Amino acid sequence: MKRILQFGIRYFHELRFKIAMILILTIISSMLSVTAPYLLGLFFDALIASASIVRIMYICLIYLLLMTCTLFVGYELNLLKVKVHTKASYRLNSEVLFYIHRLPYDTTMFMDTSYYTQRINNDATQIISYILEALSGIIINVVSIILPSVVIFNIFPPILPGIFLAIMLYVFAYTAMRSVLYKTGMAFKEGQSVFFKKLSQQLTAIKLIKLFDLSDLFADLLNKAFAHVLKTTINYQKKAYIFSSLDSLISSVCQILFLFSGGYMVSKNLITIGNLTIVLSYISMIITSARYFFSLGKQTQDTLVCYARISELLSSSPEFNHGKEPNNIDEISILDLSVRFSENVILHSVNMHFEKGKIYGVAGNNGTGKTTLINILAGLYRNCYSGKIILNRSISLSEINPEFMRKNLISVCPQDISLIEGSLRSNLLLGHDEPDDFYNTLEYFGLDSVIASLPNGINTSVDNHNFNLSAGEKQKIAIVRTIIKGGCVLIFDEPTSALDTLTRDRFLAYLQNHKKNKMVIIVSHDITLLQQLDEVVRMERTTFE
């Protein structure tokens, strides 16, 4: 529990006033709960003693007031918990996601988004829920053990050792089950995350399924994933059932023994029925609180699994985000560059040279490492290559702050075009200021007619699932936003694959007119385009080991 609290308590720091209110209301709620059985005991004794109707009404009114206060405090307490839980969960979720943003791309490129989305959200939510419930639950149940014990001590002290023995039985049972609960909980949560990934694939691959009639294949993959998650779920539930059965067994035995003891004491006139009602109610409250801590032990093991999985992500080393920040890039020299992912050699002993004022083409068959080369030049791959990349004849690429370089020096138009949820304007500008020639650039690349056809013009909402935009129109958007972002190095990966001939020629003409202060690198299979560039570098499979 200590590790979880130390890790998660910082997400409640800005909510400390609300946390204080939760603790105060929790204490009030606990005291109200403890008072109710005492009033019921007084009520029964008043009935047996044939007390006046006025006294009975007085007790009933106090009980009614008590229940009203309990309802009001419970409402405010639950509302505060929801607000605090939602905000703290978002902070933990967002911190983990923003940390992943800062990891090297060669660390995150193989992450399965469906798997990690489900894993991060579920783990973060459970950690916050655990801390919030522990903060209030521990107070409530400590109060529910101490105060009733004081009252029982004043009414009938000999029964307290039996209560202590019952609590020790719970401690022993939890200690015996703790390790098993953690191991099965880890397997269960991992199985859930993998199954969620397989479910997501059923939706993301719908087009592929239809085109190649793969329904049976994907059904088989889902069935196998389900078989695995079913196995881990059943194993986890078996252990959880054993745990809850121990809880019920200890509780039932204790209740029977205490009922028998109470009945015996009444038969011997050692205690009144009213006092017995109070004692039994408080014993039940103490046992319930002991069961809470027993259950909290299981929740602790489940949450430790979530903590371990979150900590695994946060233990990865973030991207190197400091270093030299040159004003421009005039030359790039690639010397004996080799790239390896695991056992796969992507590039081997590649040598190239680029300089400002020229448009370079990078050509080659599929699988020769062209996109890998782009990712390295953009500073996305930091730990998977050997050799040297020298900028301006003196600065190693590894010495440059990659965030600064991507923000100020290099602009990349990727082959896979992603549109963010928002307006067409926001997708074109991507947070940058609108340049003076913004609308002229849109018209030059033929986007003005596209904008005119949209229901809300440039403010129309678009995203990756927007069917109002063709592949060619999306490619134009990608080109324009690369140009708007600017930088002294412009890199385009297959920028004309979906363009018509007119737009392709306009694109090339634009680059020719603006290349004086730019270094332009274009990866392409378009022979017509490549023939019009200043230099073409060909990447061949013969460069591989």
Side-chain angles (χ1 to χ4, degrees):
M1 179 183 289
K2 182 180 178 182
R3 284 180 292 165
I4 300 171
L5 292 176
Q6 288 177 336
F7 169 76
I9 200 68
R10 65 180 181 269
Y11 301 105
F12 297 91
H13 182 69
E14 295 180 7
L15 304 166
R16 53 188 180 275
F17 174 75
K18 287 185 172 64
I19 291 292
M21 290 301 300
I22 287 175
L23 297 180
I24 291 171
L25 290 176
T26 297
I27 293 171
I28 293 173
S29 178
S30 301
M31 297 181 71
L32 291 173
S33 298
V34 170
T35 305
Y38 187 78
L39 286 174
L40 287 175
L42 294 178
F43 177 77
F44 288 131
D45 276 347
L47 287 178
I48 294 170
S50 300
S52 66
I53 191 65
V54 174
R55 178 172 171 76
I56 293 173
M57 288 182 62
Y58 177 71
I59 295 173
C60 289
L61 286 174
I62 294 177
Y63 190 78
L64 177 62
L65 179 63
L66 183 71
M67 292 300 100
T68 303
C69 292
T70 301
L71 289 173
F72 175 76
V73 171
Y75 173 79
E76 292 297 327
L77 183 59
N78 286 331
L79 194 61
L80 274 172
K81 283 183 177 180
V82 169
K83 291 179 180 178
V84 170
H85 179 273
T86 304
K87 291 181 179 179
S89 294
Y90 170 73
R91 286 173 183 165
L92 177 51
N93 264 291
S94 58
E95 179 176 300
V96 175
L97 291 172
F98 296 154
Y99 189 84
I100 291 175
H101 289 178
R102 293 164 48 211
L103 295 178
Y105 181 67
D106 46 7
T107 300
T108 62
M109 61 185 293
F110 298 115
M111 280 186 170
D112 186 285
T113 55
S114 299
Y115 168 83
Y116 280 99
T117 298
Q118 192 264 1
R119 170 174 161 173
I120 292 168
N121 181 65
N122 286 4
D123 290 349
T125 299
Q126 180 158 336
I127 289 172
I128 296 301
S129 297
Y130 173 83
I131 294 173
L132 188 58
E133 289 303 318
L135 287 175
S136 58
I138 288 174
I139 291 175
I140 288 176
N141 288 281
V142 166
V143 171
S144 297
I145 289 176
I146 294 175
L147 292 184
S149 297
V150 172
V151 176
I152 291 173
F153 179 79
N154 289 321
I155 295 175
F156 197 76
I159 207 166
L160 284 176
I163 296 173
F164 176 76
L165 179 61
I167 293 174
M168 292 308 298
L169 285 174
Y170 278 113
V171 172
F172 176 77
Y174 168 67
T175 303
M177 293 289 296
R178 180 173 56 188
S179 177
V180 173
L181 290 171
Y182 179 82
K183 291 177 181 178
T184 56
M186 175 66 83
F188 172 62
K189 287 189 177 297
E190 280 296 308
Q192 280 187 317
S193 297
V194 171
F195 183 65
F196 183 84
K197 177 182 73 173
K198 297 299 183 182
L199 278 177
S200 178
Q201 289 175 352
Q202 302 292 318
L203 297 178
T204 56
I206 286 179
K207 185 176 182 180
L208 179 68
I209 292 170
K210 287 184 173 295
L211 288 176
F212 292 92
D213 191 23
L214 298 177
S215 295
D216 291 341
L217 174 61
F218 272 74
D220 184 56
L221 292 173
L222 187 62
N223 289 336
K224 289 179 180 178
F226 174 73
H228 175 70
V229 77
L230 179 63
K231 180 180 178 180
T232 58
T233 300
I234 291 175
N235 190 37
Y236 174 75
Q237 291 301 327
K238 282 180 180 178
K239 302 303 185 293
Y241 183 76
I242 293 172
F243 187 83
S244 63
S245 296
L246 286 173
D247 178 13
S248 299
L249 178 62
I250 295 171
S251 175
S252 298
V253 170
C254 291
Q255 293 285 1
I256 292 170
L257 291 176
F258 288 132
L259 280 172
F260 177 79
S261 301
Y264 176 79
M265 289 184 292
V266 170
S267 68
K268 296 297 182 179
N269 295 319
L270 298 174
I271 191 172
T272 67
I273 292 178
N275 281 342
L276 177 62
T277 303
I278 294 173
V279 169
L280 290 179
S281 296
Y282 282 152
I283 288 175
S284 177
M285 189 175 291
I286 292 171
I287 295 299
T288 299
S289 296
R291 295 180 72 182
Y292 164 79
F293 285 106
F294 188 61
S295 175
L296 182 65
K298 177 181 178 300
Q299 293 174 28
T300 300
Q301 297 308 311
D302 289 341
T303 309
L304 279 172
V305 171
C306 299
Y307 166 73
R309 300 204 307 172
I310 291 285
S311 297
E312 180 187 7
L313 292 174
L314 296 179
S315 65
S316 301
S317 299
E319 185 178 51
F320 173 82
N321 61 356
H322 56 278
K324 297 181 179 179
E325 299 179 354
N327 294 325
N328 55 64
I329 298 176
D330 296 321
E331 295 183 38
I332 299 177
S333 296
I334 299 174
L335 306 174
D336 198 29
L337 176 67
S338 296
V339 179
R340 178 189 296 271
F341 290 119
S342 186
E343 298 300 321
N344 298 321
V345 178
I346 309 301
L347 295 174
H348 179 65
S349 298
V350 172
N351 295 278
M352 295 182 182
H353 182 78
F354 305 103
E355 59 186 52
K356 184 180 291 185
K358 291 185 178 182
I359 304 176
Y360 294 89
V362 178
N365 295 329
N366 294 331
T368 53
K370 301 184 296 299
T371 300
T372 298
L373 175 65
I374 289 176
N375 290 334
I376 291 174
L377 293 178
L380 295 179
Y381 295 162
R382 307 284 292 187
N383 305 312
C384 61
Y385 71 87
S386 61
K388 294 183 179 180
I389 300 177
I390 306 299
L391 310 183
N392 301 336
R393 299 189 178 185
S394 60
I395 306 173
S396 172
L397 180 64
S398 61
E399 298 175 325
I400 292 182
N401 182 338
E403 291 184 2
F404 173 84
M405 181 179 70
R406 289 192 292 265
K407 183 177 181 180
N408 300 284
L409 302 177
I410 290 182
S411 187
V412 179
C413 179
Q415 183 176 359
D416 297 324
I417 302 165
S418 296
L419 300 179
I420 60 174
E421 186 176 348
S423 67
L424 178 56
R425 177 193 295 274
S426 65
N427 271 277
L428 288 163
L429 295 175
L430 293 181
H432 297 91
D433 294 332
E434 186 178 295
D436 295 335
D437 61 346
F438 178 57
Y439 288 97
N440 290 335
T441 303
L442 297 180
E443 182 179 359
Y444 181 84
F445 284 97
L447 283 173
D448 55 331
S449 59
V450 176
I451 293 170
S453 67
L454 297 175
N456 295 314
I458 199 169
N459 295 313
T460 299
S461 295
V462 297
D463 57 39
N464 281 328
H465 303 290
N466 194 312
F467 295 101
N468 292 327
L469 297 174
S470 67
E473 290 165 346
K474 288 182 180 180
Q475 196 157 55
K476 291 177 183 179
I477 292 171
I479 290 172
V480 169
R481 67 186 183 188
T482 302
I483 290 171
I484 290 173
K485 178 179 178 295
C488 49
V489 179
L490 301 180
I491 301 176
F492 299 89
D493 191 358
E494 298 290 355
T496 62
S497 58
L499 296 183
D500 55 72
T501 303
L502 176 62
T503 306
R504 181 194 63 192
D505 293 342
R506 282 176 168 267
F507 167 66
L508 183 58
Y510 182 93
L511 295 179
Q512 293 287 3
N513 292 333
H514 293 82
K515 71 178 183 179
K516 182 178 180 181
N517 295 313
K518 306 284 185 183
M519 180 192 305
V520 182
I521 301 173
I522 302 175
V523 172
S524 180
H525 289 93
D526 188 337
I527 297 177
T528 303
L529 175 69
L530 293 171
Q531 289 174 342
Q532 302 178 65
L533 305 184
D534 297 322
E535 292 186 25
V536 176
V537 178
R538 298 195 177 275
M539 302 181 68
E540 305 291 344
R541 289 186 180 274
T542 53
T543 60
F544 286 80
E545 287 183 330

